[in-house]
Amino acid sequence: MTSLSRNMEMNGLSKQVSNSMSLSSSPTASFHSPPSSYGGHHLGRATTPASVKQLKPFATEDIKILLLENVNQTGRDNLTKQGYQVEFVKSSLPEDQLIEKIRDVHVIGIRSKTKLTARVLGAARNLIVVGCFCIGTNQVDLQYAAKHGIAVFNSPFSNSRSVAELVIAEIISLARQLGDRSNEMHNGIWNKVSKNCWEIRGKSLGIIGYGHIGSQLSVMAEAMGMSVIYYDVLNLMAMGTSKQVPNLEALLERADFVTCHVPELPETKDMIGSVQFEQMKTGSYLINASRGSVVDIPALINAMRSGKTAGAALDVYPSEPAGNGDYFHSDLGPWAEDLRSLKNLILTPHIGGSTEEAQSAIGVEVSEALVRYVNEGATLGAVNLPEVNLRSLTLDEPNHVRVIYIHHNVPGVLRRVNEVLGDHNVDKQMTDSRGEVAYLMADISDVNQSEIKDLYESLEGLNSRIMTRVLY
């Protein structure tokens, strides 16, 4: 901890400092962000050249991190190595327990079961960042988080291969009715049949959503002899010989297998319902490994009972248990018992990304994003704040300070901020906005430690302020 932070603590200001994570003296890493194969930012591993000036908010042991839902060991190790206080909990927590746990933490890491509602986030008086160790972020109130300066990061593609491989396995399993044959054998029944069992070679696969998962799946399916068509709201480059179709109906009419890979949005709720099942080929198959709201479950049940749909695989559901156990029955939803009664229906407990490889990669990716944000203020990859980054400071810049000012996106803010910074040389400055929230980073030089407190308090006093951080 710097002498300034000690003085501020003695003056009774340590609580205020903790709230805004405003003090610093230590490790950052330089960071390069080449585009990924499938678009977006590739948040590669940070490197630490000897010339990089290392920043941290204040004494690292003051940073409190709460990790829930059995976050992978790689993520825990990365955060622990920084010297942070890391508390690890294997399961998710009920809302009231979560509110008690989250009150004093600066960083929280979750997966898909923990719900960070406005009520929960409102109780987190020191929270600056959320790490979703998964693809989805719909379990977090992103708007509330942004309005209170809380960044949210996720892992948009680290489990893409795992999900794509699961879908390939399900395509083959449905085509050969492997689930039914296995259940029969477990019950002592030998039932060797070939009727309505197919090779997948020469069959057509329709992919709804051609992002990280859909495009990888496209390549894998073609390698197995399938023809691939896809529908996406964006015009996207086709992989291999796959072809984009103009609308969902065109895909449903042509595909032998239909697989969904879309986010949970108002536009995707019940995207596959009674009308869409009627548009599908008789005897076709449906796979959903995206979000539970995408498929109308009663409509699927009716389509399978009528014989319109020959089989389906579900990895996600409209409601899901918070933990493992005897939960998949009518208490979860009125459709659970009906699903369990159907033939050639593969039901899995949201395991699309549940492989050792995927969870390890997610642990690394998200934990490194959290370290960069806490230590440097970089928002590359944030899902709810503008993406802003500056190059790392070097040891040749000993009296430089990094100012991070998260503020309401209203006129006149930059002028007022620059008036505060005007007595110093602003070496680098970058700002961007996203909706009602803007994010400013500036590196200023020739700053004495005695001036940092006044700099911080001047920015805190601006009416536009959401959160201020000063790293040095």
Side-chain angles (χ1 to χ4, degrees):
M1 185 180 290
T2 65
S3 58
L4 174 64
S5 63
R6 284 194 293 270
N7 291 337
M8 293 178 77
E9 184 173 346
M10 292 171 61
N11 292 333
L13 292 172
S14 61
K15 187 65 178 177
Q16 179 184 3
V17 168
S18 177
N19 283 341
S20 292
M21 301 287 285
S22 62
L23 298 179
S24 146
S25 61
S26 92
T28 75
S30 88
F31 169 62
H32 305 280
S33 179
S36 81
S37 302
Y38 299 111
H41 293 288
H42 175 69
L43 301 180
R45 294 194 177 186
T47 57
T48 53
S51 61
V52 170
K53 180 183 179 182
Q54 298 187 332
L55 301 172
K56 277 185 183 172
F58 40 82
T60 53
E61 62 270 19
D62 291 339
I63 306 296
K64 295 181 179 179
I65 298 181
L66 175 62
L67 299 179
L68 302 176
E69 301 186 69
N70 204 26
V71 167
N72 191 267
Q73 187 68 47
T74 56
R76 286 141 56 187
D77 289 346
N78 274 353
L79 296 169
T80 301
K81 281 190 296 187
Q82 293 292 319
Y84 307 145
Q85 294 182 45
V86 179
E87 181 180 358
F88 170 69
V89 179
K90 284 192 173 183
S91 63
S92 60
L93 297 174
E95 186 169 84
D96 288 342
Q97 291 184 33
L98 181 57
I99 285 173
E100 289 301 314
K101 279 281 190 184
I102 204 174
R103 290 190 190 279
D104 296 321
V105 303
H106 304 101
V107 181
I108 186 168
I110 63 172
R111 294 177 67 190
S112 58
K113 303 301 182 193
T114 300
K115 306 301 180 186
L116 295 182
T117 62
R119 178 171 177 253
V120 172
L121 293 173
R125 54 197 172 194
N126 292 337
L127 191 67
I128 64 164
V129 62
V130 174
C132 296
F133 287 77
C134 52
I135 292 180
T137 56
N138 56 300
Q139 69 275 39
V140 181
D141 189 328
L142 297 177
Q143 186 175 15
Y144 182 95
K147 287 182 176 180
H148 291 79
I150 302 168
V152 180
F153 294 90
N154 69 335
S155 178
F157 51 82
S158 288
N159 68 359
S160 301
R161 178 71 182 197
S162 296
V163 177
E165 287 187 4
L166 177 67
V167 173
I168 288 290
E170 290 174 335
I171 290 171
I172 297 172
S173 296
L174 291 172
R176 298 295 297 274
Q177 301 179 12
L178 293 183
D180 289 354
R181 298 296 85 77
S182 177
N183 287 337
E184 290 162 355
M185 291 290 284
H186 278 280
N187 291 323
I189 299 171
W190 183 280
N191 184 25
K192 181 179 179 180
V193 295
S194 59
K195 185 179 180 180
N196 294 325
C197 295
W198 314 96
E199 293 182 355
I200 67 169
R201 179 180 55 175
K203 305 302 186 294
S204 60
L205 173 63
I207 301 174
I208 304 172
Y210 205 66
H212 303 305
I213 297 169
S215 52
Q216 285 203 46
L217 175 60
S218 174
V219 173
M220 296 166 67
E222 280 199 348
M224 301 190 74
M226 302 187 79
S227 61
V228 177
I229 55 176
Y230 63 93
Y231 167 67
D232 199 290
V233 293
L234 302 176
N235 289 321
L236 297 171
M237 183 183 72
M239 307 298 288
T241 60
S242 62
K243 292 180 174 59
Q244 186 164 7
V245 294
N247 52 56
L248 179 59
E249 184 176 356
L251 181 143
L252 297 175
E253 290 174 345
R254 293 171 54 185
D256 298 308
F257 295 83
V258 175
T259 180
C260 303
H261 302 285
V262 296
E264 183 174 30
L265 300 169
E267 297 85 355
T268 62
K269 180 175 174 56
D270 294 336
M271 189 178 194
I272 305 297
S274 299
V275 172
Q276 288 71 35
F277 281 112
E278 284 302 314
Q279 294 170 345
M280 291 171 65
K281 286 183 175 182
T282 298
S284 58
Y285 304 84
L286 176 73
I287 298 168
N288 184 22
S290 58
R291 289 291 176 262
S293 60
V294 171
V295 175
D296 181 345
I297 299 297
L300 169 64
I301 292 169
N302 291 335
M304 293 194 65
R305 284 176 173 169
S306 70
K308 177 68 175 181
T309 301
L314 300 177
D315 189 45
V316 289
Y317 307 89
S319 56
E320 298 180 4
N324 295 338
D326 182 19
Y327 299 122
F328 198 74
H329 42 64
S330 57
D331 290 343
L332 187 65
W335 32 261
E337 300 295 340
D338 288 332
L339 288 176
R340 290 168 57 189
S341 70
L342 293 171
K343 295 289 187 181
N344 207 26
L345 175 61
I346 300 171
L347 302 173
T348 50
H350 205 151
I351 59 169
S354 295
T355 63
E356 294 287 353
E357 294 89 346
Q359 292 306 307
S360 176
I362 289 171
V364 170
E365 181 182 0
V366 178
S367 64
E368 289 187 349
L370 295 176
V371 169
R372 280 191 299 272
Y373 185 75
V374 171
N375 294 0
E376 303 180 46
T379 58
L380 290 175
V383 300
N384 67 329
L385 292 180
E387 294 190 273
V388 177
N389 191 30
L390 294 177
R391 69 165 176 82
S392 298
L393 295 173
T394 68
L395 295 176
D396 295 330
E397 302 165 305
N399 295 320
H400 282 56
V401 168
R402 174 161 293 177
V403 172
I404 298 162
Y405 187 66
I406 309 173
H407 60 89
H408 299 290
N409 186 21
V410 294
V413 175
L414 288 181
R415 176 174 57 81
R416 294 184 179 93
V417 170
N418 286 326
E419 286 174 355
V420 173
L421 305 181
D423 292 335
H424 307 279
N425 183 44
V426 179
D427 285 357
K428 302 184 291 294
Q429 187 180 72
M430 182 176 178
T431 185
D432 198 0
S433 62
R434 184 171 182 169
E436 299 176 4
V437 177
Y439 194 95
L440 180 147
M441 290 179 69
D443 287 345
I444 56 179
S445 58
D446 299 324
V447 182
N448 297 321
Q449 286 198 8
S450 59
E451 300 174 296
I452 296 177
K453 178 183 173 182
D454 289 339
L455 185 67
Y456 169 73
E457 291 182 342
S458 296
L459 292 171
E460 282 282 282
L462 298 180
N463 291 334
S464 58
R465 173 258 182 203
I466 294 176
M467 182 180 292
T468 308
R469 300 173 64 199
V470 179
L471 309 179
Y472 65 99

